[in-house]
Amino acid sequence: MERSSAATSGGSSRREATRQKLYEAAVTLIAEQGFSATTVDEIAERAGVAKGTVYYNFASKSVLFEELLRHGVGLLTASLRDAADQSDRAGGTKVDALDAMIRAGLAFIARYPSFTQLYVAELWRTNRAWQSTLMVVRQQVVAAIEDVLRAGVESGEFSGEIDVPLTAAALVGMVLVAALDWQSFQPERSLDDVHAALSRLIQGRVSGGR
């Protein structure tokens, strides 16, 4: 019984490792040459597996891409929530929590630039089979910010007049666009430098006043 459980666990770990290779191969290729131009053969070759392995793990290239979106956005959402939780445990304000989430978002994008480019590009396409999936995973990210904003409104730290959904979406968009600009056009800047620039916005320190 114990041996069977260990074998099952080992098989599951191997499958997850294989799926991770496929995710990484797919996101890199699709970011480089687009979804339509990328073939299953290329994904398999880049991942170092047989073509049949792709279909064993995913029913089709479209399914692989949908799962890729879920996987990547899931990692991003988890990192944002973890940053907010750590800020709370340290006794920070809700502004501090948002600031920590911005840094976590920048760090994620710096680590997974190809995925981020792909995600942003797909947000603007409406003819994809996975559009509904994309909207669901987008809402996961936005909801993480919304929760902090709502908590700030309830505690009186933020004005009750703020539009929580739109403000959350704006903050997510700010981080995505700023990070992609950083990666593409200002790669010499450090994470600390870019975070400091965005932090001034969130902390309300853009004007000449104190």
Side-chain angles (χ1 to χ4, degrees):
M1 190 74 169
E2 292 180 359
R3 184 177 299 174
S4 176
S5 296
T8 300
S9 176
S12 176
S13 297
R14 283 193 297 273
R15 186 176 185 190
E16 283 306 309
T18 299
R19 289 167 73 91
Q20 184 62 35
K21 287 181 181 178
L22 291 171
Y23 286 140
E24 292 173 0
V27 72
T28 303
L29 285 166
I30 295 171
E32 288 174 356
Q33 57 195 35
F35 178 81
S36 298
T38 300
T39 67
V40 172
D41 284 336
E42 289 174 320
I43 293 172
E45 182 179 358
R46 180 70 66 93
V49 301
K51 180 178 179 179
T53 302
V54 180
Y55 290 116
Y56 175 76
N57 285 275
F58 304 99
S60 66
K61 186 174 70 168
S62 292
V63 171
L64 167 57
F65 190 71
E66 282 194 63
E67 290 301 313
L68 173 63
L69 290 172
R70 291 183 187 277
H71 177 70
V73 174
L75 290 176
L76 173 57
T77 303
S79 70
L80 296 180
R81 291 193 179 280
D82 184 58
D85 289 343
Q86 289 187 39
S87 177
D88 286 344
R89 288 194 295 270
T93 65
K94 293 306 175 186
V95 170
D96 292 330
L98 290 175
D99 192 46
M101 295 172 94
I102 286 173
R103 184 178 182 86
L106 291 171
F108 176 90
I109 293 166
R111 184 176 181 183
Y112 303 106
S114 294
F115 173 79
T116 307
Q117 292 168 10
L118 197 58
Y119 171 71
V120 172
E122 290 300 319
L123 279 174
W124 300 106
R125 296 191 173 103
T126 58
N127 61 339
R128 300 295 207 189
W130 50 80
Q131 188 65 24
S132 60
T133 296
L134 189 60
M135 292 302 99
V136 169
V137 296
R138 170 200 168 276
Q139 186 53 37
Q140 290 175 3
V141 178
V142 175
I145 306 291
E146 287 179 352
D147 288 347
V148 175
L149 290 172
R150 288 196 178 94
V153 170
E154 290 172 5
S155 68
E157 185 177 343
F158 300 147
S159 168
E161 297 181 357
I162 68 171
D163 186 320
V164 170
L166 188 57
T167 301
L171 288 172
V172 172
M174 176 185 75
V175 174
L176 286 174
V177 174
L180 289 177
D181 186 90
W182 164 38
Q183 293 288 303
S184 299
F185 304 114
Q186 306 178 65
E188 72 284 355
R189 300 183 69 168
S190 68
L191 172 62
D192 288 341
D193 186 26
V194 176
H195 173 234
L198 297 187
S199 182
R200 291 186 185 94
L201 290 174
I202 200 69
Q203 298 283 354
R205 291 183 281 116
V206 178
S207 68
R210 304 186 86 178

